[in-house]
Amino acid sequence: MNIPDLTGRTAVVTGANSGIGLPTALELALHGAHVFVACRSPERGNAAVAQIRKRASSTRVEYVPLDLADLASVRDLAKTLVDRLDRIDILVNNAGVGMISRQVTTDGFEKQLGTNHLGHFALTGLLLPLLVAGPGARVVTVSSDNHAEGEIDFDDLQAERKYGRNSSYARSKLANLLFTLELQRRADGAGVDLVSVASDPGTTATNIGALPRVMSLMMRLFLQSADKGAIPSLYAATSPEARGGEFYGPGPKRMTPSPKALDEAVAARLWDVSENLTGVRFAALDHFTP
């Protein structure tokens, strides 16, 4: 795909130390963007920065600490960036966990929902002042085609009564897509120039799941590479053809969200619940009228 010149643009990519996040950050840097590699491990984050700098010949790549399973860490990163930057042009909500045994985040949320959705919801809201400071900022949230298998059960949102590794992952990916579409609706309703887009990398060999070593090796042999898996996110983040409220998958091509993801009543309720759980409000969208 053709990525335009991104000189003068600032991008934040979560989980950019590995998986599809690393080639996403690399390509943004190769095309001139100032890229922040946001992830938990300083060792892995700085290693990713060094790797990107070797390829991109740029010093405008930085590691910043972020643990999406800890809202205090999310707030710390947001404060750091708000204090340093005038605007953010691209936010790629990429990091995630999947297919793990039931665990909870620092704040007591079921970990797949808490990391994949609530952490990114809070981060986007806290960075919103920087995202709306310039025209046409992109918020790309990585979902999956298996969002169609997810269910948003507001009576058991944290899966305390019923938990499944796959079903809870699918629920978090459905939440990602509901958030993406609702963010675009609210931005449009408030007259805010913001583009919210979802992407699906397709079946890609990454380290998102807690898989046995043999299975991980088989995945790397038979599934597409992380470089290819990053293409939908890069298209959503940079292409002049990408449109807000759309969902792009391998190709890249436009995908049709499931009816569950298009349920505006569920999206609005999930938004309200997410605000209450995280304590983060999107003040720039206060003039939104459902």
Side-chain angles (χ1 to χ4, degrees):
M1 62 168 288
N2 294 322
I3 298 176
D5 180 20
L6 301 175
T7 301
R9 305 285 186 91
T10 299
V12 177
V13 183
T14 69
N17 60 300
S18 64
I20 66 170
L22 180 54
T24 299
L26 171 61
E27 289 297 330
L28 294 175
L30 282 169
H31 290 83
H34 180 184
V35 179
F36 288 89
V37 171
C39 65
R40 285 179 300 167
S41 167
E43 180 181 0
R44 294 178 182 178
N46 285 312
V49 167
Q51 184 176 342
I52 293 170
R53 285 179 178 172
K54 284 182 181 178
R55 294 277 306 278
S57 300
S58 171
T59 58
R60 293 181 65 78
V61 183
E62 302 179 49
Y63 163 70
V64 285
L66 171 66
D67 183 353
L68 288 160
D70 183 348
L71 290 179
S73 173
V74 175
R75 291 182 181 278
D76 286 346
L77 171 61
K79 184 178 187 304
T80 296
L81 295 179
V82 168
D83 287 346
R84 284 190 54 188
L85 303 175
D86 295 324
R87 74 176 195 274
I88 292 173
D89 303 285
I90 300 169
L91 170 62
V92 184
N93 291 323
N94 164 81
V97 295
M99 286 73 78
I100 58 174
S101 60
R102 190 180 189 281
Q103 301 170 38
V104 296
T105 68
T106 301
D107 303 280
F109 307 137
E110 185 276 307
K111 195 165 187 177
Q112 296 195 76
L113 184 74
T115 302
N116 300 352
H117 167 62
L118 292 170
H120 281 126
F121 178 93
L123 180 65
T124 305
L126 292 167
L127 294 180
L128 193 62
L130 295 178
L131 290 163
V132 302
R138 304 274 181 104
V139 177
V140 179
T141 302
V142 178
S143 182
S144 167
D145 61 353
N146 78 348
H147 77 274
E149 306 301 319
E151 299 287 346
I152 304 295
D153 181 357
F154 289 104
D155 293 325
D156 189 27
L157 193 61
Q158 305 302 334
E160 294 171 302
R161 295 196 298 270
K162 184 178 180 181
Y163 181 83
R165 294 171 183 248
N166 294 331
S167 61
S168 293
Y169 177 71
R171 183 183 68 240
S172 74
K173 295 291 103 178
L174 174 57
N176 285 151
L177 199 45
L178 286 163
F179 166 63
T180 297
L181 302 182
E182 183 68 5
L183 177 58
Q184 189 64 62
R185 281 190 289 269
R186 289 175 182 253
D188 291 344
V192 172
D193 187 6
L194 181 73
V195 177
S196 176
V197 197
S199 65
D200 170 21
T203 308
T204 306
T206 70
N207 59 357
I208 190 172
L211 299 174
R213 185 170 181 272
V214 172
M215 189 174 294
S216 296
L217 290 172
M218 290 181 65
M219 285 179 63
R220 296 185 186 282
L221 284 173
F222 296 107
L223 303 185
Q224 70 173 354
S225 68
D227 288 357
K228 289 185 177 179
I231 290 174
S233 292
L234 287 165
Y235 181 86
T238 67
S239 173
E241 305 301 319
R243 297 289 179 264
E246 298 288 4
F247 183 28
Y248 296 101
K253 64 180 180 180
R254 182 177 174 273
M255 298 177 66
T256 301
S258 72
K260 296 175 186 178
L262 300 174
D263 190 323
E264 295 187 18
V266 171
R269 184 177 178 186
L270 180 62
W271 185 283
D272 291 341
V273 169
S274 300
E275 283 191 333
N276 290 333
L277 290 173
T278 63
V280 174
R281 292 186 64 254
F282 288 58
L285 308 183
D286 277 351
H287 298 295
F288 169 70
T289 302

